[in-house]
Amino acid sequence: MAGAFMRFWSGCAERQPLVTIALTNGAMGATGDVLAQCLFPASGPSNGPSNGSKFNPWRTVRFFAYGCMFGPVAFKWYSFLNRRFPFPNASTAAQRLSAHKPTSSAIIKRVAVDQIVFAPVAIAAFFTVMGAMEGKGAAEIRSSLRERYSKALVGNYMLWPWSQLINFGLVPLVYQVPFASLVSVVWNMYLSWVNSRRKAHGLAD
């Protein structure tokens, strides 16, 4: 079953890479939020038409939409890193790793640039776009960034450098966003929790 699904996914990615990656990333984002709402049901109030229910499907829809938007951006970014810091010519991950020094250098450079340049911008974009989708104004979004950005960035540096070492070192380009999306199930649970903290505190005040 898993093999059949991977063949199906690979065929879709060959024909429509950006669409396939967008939908995959959106699905993983939604999954992370569903798990966050189920595991941390008091993490925030319900907004929109689902008011009064412990589970907020509109919040999950927002995570799906953001994931769909972010997936192609991440794919373009990973493509840039692959071009900017190429591995020695080798057809397999094992062959790439056998060229230890130049490959290790390229992996470390990719991870460093990803975490220093892309990660801080991506986290700011997350809170900005999610705030806009929640109907917040510019002042509320700025307040949200002040309250949540640092916490999310610290969480990022506890998870992503290590997963990206594996991603950039062993995973082919077309699978790098899906691999990151899989890790993002945990990351999106964390972001969902952080994003809802202010609302929960507001209710308690």
Side-chain angles (χ1 to χ4, degrees):
M1 181 69 74
F5 176 78
M6 285 305 300
R7 287 192 295 273
F8 170 76
W9 191 94
S10 298
C12 292
E14 260 186 56
R15 295 188 297 272
Q16 295 287 343
L18 293 183
V19 173
T20 303
I21 286 168
L23 292 175
T24 302
N25 205 54
M28 293 297 186
T31 300
D33 181 68
V34 168
L35 290 173
Q37 292 198 56
C38 292
L39 294 174
F40 311 111
S43 62
S46 189
N47 298 326
S50 62
N51 242 353
S53 171
K54 288 185 178 180
F55 183 82
N56 179 4
W58 296 104
R59 196 174 101 178
T60 302
V61 168
R62 289 193 292 270
F63 267 83
F64 175 77
Y66 180 79
C68 288
M69 289 185 281
F70 183 75
V73 175
F75 179 72
K76 292 294 186 182
W77 171 249
Y78 292 167
S79 299
F80 164 76
L81 291 178
N82 274 259
R83 291 193 306 271
R84 182 65 183 82
F85 306 110
F87 291 139
N89 290 332
S91 59
T92 68
Q95 288 172 335
R96 288 200 300 269
L97 290 178
S98 68
H100 180 71
K101 289 184 178 178
T103 301
S104 297
S105 173
I107 294 170
I108 291 169
K109 287 175 183 176
R110 290 182 190 185
V111 173
V113 173
D114 181 65
Q115 292 302 301
I116 293 170
V117 177
F118 189 70
V121 175
I123 292 171
F126 168 80
F127 288 119
T128 301
V129 173
M130 290 297 286
M133 287 194 289
E134 290 167 2
K136 294 178 180 177
E140 285 182 289
I141 291 173
R142 284 195 296 270
S143 175
S144 172
L145 284 167
R146 282 194 298 271
E147 293 177 12
R148 307 174 197 175
Y149 181 82
S150 296
K151 184 179 183 69
L153 191 61
V154 170
N156 170 87
Y157 289 134
M158 293 175 67
L159 172 66
W160 281 106
W162 318 110
S163 65
Q164 294 294 57
L165 281 171
I166 298 170
N167 198 13
F168 294 145
L170 297 174
V171 182
L173 175 60
V174 72
Y175 297 112
Q176 285 179 1
V177 173
F179 177 87
S181 297
L182 190 61
V183 177
S184 288
V185 172
V186 176
W187 176 240
N188 285 326
M189 287 173 60
Y190 176 74
L191 283 182
S192 180
W193 177 76
V194 171
N195 194 46
S196 65
R197 290 294 291 166
R198 184 167 171 265
K199 301 174 192 173
H201 290 160
L203 285 184
D205 291 341

